Amino acid sequence: MTVQLNHTIVAAHDRQASARFLADVLGLEVSPRYGPFIPVEIPNGVTLDFMEVPGEITPQHYAFLVSEADFDTIFGRIRDAGLTYWADPSHSRPGEINHNDGGRGTYFDDPNGHRLEILTRPYGSGG
């Protein structure tokens, strides 16, 4: 059996601004509007479809596995943008990165409060 995640909907107050934020930080492109969605395609083919919703947004977690070189580039963008970042998902270690499984990782929030993560080694991969 082959199962692959194709897309997920990301709730946003401003779908265009939220898609642009993610694309800019990760170095990706914002795709043209598709119905009520503004998609951002990740290199493995998964699309994050930003959709505007009224009212309060329940924060979700989105983790992106990146190479060591891409981590450096993306982390540089996070710092250049003046974003607060944490070494942990509970936001108790601000201004730090982690070295879980022998890699590097950090967490930061998008404009809607979604918790984004970049990491260079999958959890449980050792190291």
Side-chain angles (χ1 to χ4, degrees), residues 19-93:
R20 172 60 44 214
F21 173 85
L22 180 68
D24 286 350
V25 169
L26 296 181
L28 303 172
E29 297 293 323
V30 174
S31 298
R33 180 179 170 178
Y34 181 77
F37 308 110
I38 302 292
V40 174
E41 186 175 346
I42 307 303
N44 66 351
V46 175
T47 303
L48 287 95
D49 296 334
F50 289 83
M51 182 176 82
E52 289 182 11
V53 297
E56 190 174 334
I57 292 175
T58 300
Q60 301 295 314
H61 175 70
Y62 300 95
F64 303 94
L65 184 62
V66 301
S67 69
E68 289 288 341
D70 287 337
F71 183 93
D72 291 335
T73 302
I74 295 166
F75 187 57
R77 289 185 193 119
I78 290 168
R79 287 185 305 180
D80 290 348
L83 298 174
T84 302
Y85 58 92
W86 299 266
D88 61 312
S90 61
H91 290 177
S92 66
R93 295 172 48 202

Side-chain angles (χ1 to χ4, degrees), residues 61 63 65 87 89 98 100-101 105 107 117-119 121-126:
H61 175 70
L65 184 62
N98 66 58
N100 298 340
D101 290 295
Y107 298 78
E117 176 185 8
I118 55 171
L119 67 159
R121 297 282 304 264
Y123 291 119
S125 63

Side-chain angles (χ1 to χ4, degrees), residues 9 36 111:
I9 296 172

Side-chain angles (χ1 to χ4, degrees), residues 99-120:
H99 297 280
N100 298 340
D101 290 295
R104 294 183 292 163
T106 196
Y107 298 78
F108 58 102
D109 291 349
D110 89 339
N112 299 289
H114 295 302
R115 298 196 173 188
L116 307 179
E117 176 185 8
I118 55 171
L119 67 159
T120 62

